[in-house]
Amino acid sequence: MDGRRKFLSFLSLLLALFLLFVFTWNTSLPNSYNLNSAKRVAEELELKPHHQMRHHESHASDTPRHPLDPLTVQEMNRVRSILSSHALFRASKSYALHSVALEEPPKSRVLTWREGDPLPPRQASVVARLDRVSHVLTVDLESGRVARVDTGPLSGYPTMTIEDMNTATFTPFLSEEFNRTLVARGVDLKDVACLPISTGKKIRWFVCFLDFFWG
């Protein structure tokens, strides 16, 4: 009797292991129903008209709701319009806007503000470079005028613009000495990439490396 009981227990264990193996093996295989469902979804997406596809949310009509909310798209466009009509910019041969951000209202105004109260006057702080001179301006969005213009020895320097970075990226290759040094070391100039690193001023460091990853 004991031998028979042990034999039945052994068979039960084998059956349990077999069922566990079958279950694990089946779940590791792709589910045909899921594959067919995914295929149908892909076909529907390809056949769906373009105007029915989901688009990114537009922020063109956003309005500020808090005194510290960043400038909206409409406010940024208004800043550009105000500056373009200002005498300082009209008289400049070239200029670049390095920063356009909210001019934060006084802290006391923010602390006493409650939801539903009118917002403090919205102003923009602008760092601009005109004819090689840095300017810090305050633009009043309600009155549509430039409320403050500071020039001269200002604290800090304008950040690099995209145009600055694009120009600086190719500047090292204008140096014959730089190119000759690389060629003398057996380096193909097409395999070299240089990136400008700002040191806080318009003078920058360049980091050049062999572009093996992209090559």
Side-chain angles (χ1 to χ4, degrees):
M1 180 66 67
D2 291 340
R4 184 179 180 183
R5 184 177 300 172
K6 291 181 179 179
F7 179 73
L8 292 176
S9 299
F10 178 73
L11 287 180
S12 300
L13 179 61
L14 287 179
L15 179 61
L17 291 175
F18 175 77
L19 293 176
L20 179 62
F21 171 78
V22 171
F23 176 79
T24 305
W25 183 69
N26 283 335
T27 54
S28 65
L29 292 177
N31 188 301
S32 59
Y33 176 78
N34 291 337
L35 289 177
N36 291 332
S37 299
K39 185 177 181 180
R40 286 197 301 271
V41 171
E43 292 174 350
E44 291 176 0
L45 288 176
E46 291 178 358
L47 297 176
K48 185 177 294 185
H50 180 71
H51 66 274
Q52 295 182 7
M53 299 293 288
R54 178 180 294 180
H55 294 277
H56 293 292
E57 182 180 358
S58 173
H59 297 279
S61 59
D62 285 356
T63 56
R65 300 180 179 180
H66 187 275
L68 297 181
D69 277 352
L71 296 176
T72 64
V73 174
Q74 294 180 355
E75 289 175 328
M76 296 282 282
N77 290 333
R78 179 158 173 74
V79 170
R80 181 178 59 181
S81 176
I82 295 171
L83 292 179
S84 62
S85 60
H86 191 270
L88 185 64
F89 288 82
R90 291 203 312 266
S92 176
K93 296 180 180 179
S94 62
Y95 66 86
L97 302 182
H98 289 258
S99 174
V100 179
L102 174 71
E103 179 81 26
E104 295 185 359
K107 187 175 182 178
S108 58
R109 294 287 302 273
V110 177
L111 292 177
T112 58
W113 182 86
R114 295 294 180 268
E115 186 174 357
D117 293 345
L119 293 177
R122 300 279 287 178
Q123 295 183 329
S125 175
V126 179
V127 178
R129 184 84 171 171
L130 295 90
D131 298 330
R132 300 180 178 271
V133 179
S134 297
H135 297 71
V136 177
L137 308 95
T138 298
V139 179
D140 191 300
L141 296 173
E142 292 187 2
S143 64
R145 65 185 183 87
V146 177
R148 179 177 65 96
V149 179
D150 289 337
T151 59
L154 304 174
S155 176
Y157 299 88
T159 57
M160 287 189 293
T161 63
I162 295 298
E163 292 78 8
D164 290 337
M165 296 187 68
N166 288 337
T167 301
T169 298
F170 300 100
T171 299
F173 299 99
L174 299 178
S175 170
E176 295 183 1
E177 182 179 359
F178 176 81
N179 296 336
R180 185 170 57 252
T181 302
L182 293 178
V183 173
R185 288 170 169 78
V187 177
D188 191 338
L189 296 180
K190 294 184 297 183
D191 295 332
V192 179
C194 294
L195 297 177
I197 299 179
S198 175
T199 59
K201 300 182 179 181
K202 285 298 181 179
I203 302 175
R204 302 176 182 85
W205 292 97
F206 286 92
V207 176
C208 298
F209 54 92
L210 291 177
D211 199 2
F212 288 124
F213 181 79
W214 298 108

